[in-house]
Amino acid sequence: MADKELKKVYIEPYVHLCSFITYLLFVYVEHLQAFQDLQFKTNETRATIAQGEIAKKINTQKQRVSELSAQTISGISTELPVYRSVGRMFILSSKEEEVERHNKEANEYKLKIEAIEKQKGYLQREMEEAERNLREMVQARRA
């Protein structure tokens, strides 16, 4: 009987303490992993938004060049030959075809810019949600 009582008094509390510490470590590791994942996702989203901004600037510049080229070609008389540069070659083309081609290019760049804006809005909402989750996790950890 004495062995059972000693076991109950001295060993069982340590067993419970060890299992509790193991549980705390498991929860800590889980929180740490979730925190790192959210932080990685936030950083990745910021980088994607920055790349989108760069692509938007490039496409805006290309759109402007296409629009200005179409305006310039429109001002040329129809009797003058219009050449299109393809690599090292120059191809004879009509004024109307070149104006149409430049307008089409400008429209394509405009559509790309709109798609980038939509993606940016989606990514910003996603990043705000991830940051909100990070704040909640930090507040829950403090509590």
Side-chain angles (χ1 to χ4, degrees):
M1 275 261 216
D3 288 336
K4 286 184 181 180
E5 288 178 17
L6 286 175
K7 187 176 182 182
K8 192 174 193 179
V9 172
Y10 291 108
I11 296 176
E12 284 184 15
Y14 290 114
V15 171
H16 291 300
L17 181 63
C18 288
S19 63
F20 181 69
I21 291 172
T22 305
Y23 171 75
L24 287 178
L25 285 174
F26 179 73
V27 169
Y28 175 75
V29 170
E30 258 186 15
H31 281 299
L32 183 65
Q33 183 65 36
F35 181 78
Q36 287 174 342
D37 290 344
L38 282 172
Q39 197 172 28
F40 177 77
K41 183 178 178 182
T42 303
N43 291 339
E44 190 176 55
T45 303
R46 281 190 184 122
T48 305
I49 289 173
Q51 289 173 349
E53 284 297 317
I54 292 169
K56 180 182 166 188
K57 285 181 183 179
I58 290 170
N59 284 322
T60 302
Q61 186 178 16
K62 288 180 178 180
Q63 177 187 4
R64 183 159 164 71
V65 167
S66 290
E67 289 170 350
L68 291 174
S69 297
Q71 284 178 353
T72 304
I73 294 171
S74 296
I76 297 175
S77 73
T78 54
E79 292 104 29
L80 289 175
V82 178
Y83 291 92
R84 175 178 160 197
S85 172
V86 179
R88 288 199 219 168
M89 296 187 310
F90 293 98
I91 300 174
L92 181 62
S93 181
S94 71
K95 174 184 165 183
E96 292 79 23
E97 287 176 356
E98 287 303 305
V99 170
E100 182 181 330
R101 184 177 68 84
H102 283 290
N103 286 334
K104 184 179 175 184
E105 281 181 1
N107 191 32
E108 288 174 3
Y109 291 128
K110 183 180 177 183
L111 292 175
K112 286 180 183 180
I113 291 168
E114 289 172 1
I116 290 170
E117 282 294 321
K118 285 181 184 177
Q119 182 185 20
K120 180 182 171 185
Y122 170 75
L123 289 172
Q124 284 178 336
R125 286 190 303 273
E126 188 177 287
M127 189 172 69
E128 288 170 1
E129 181 181 339
E131 287 175 346
R132 190 173 33 249
N133 289 343
L134 276 172
R135 279 190 215 103
E136 288 175 5
M137 189 179 297
V138 168
Q139 287 174 354
R141 177 83 176 126
R142 288 181 184 167

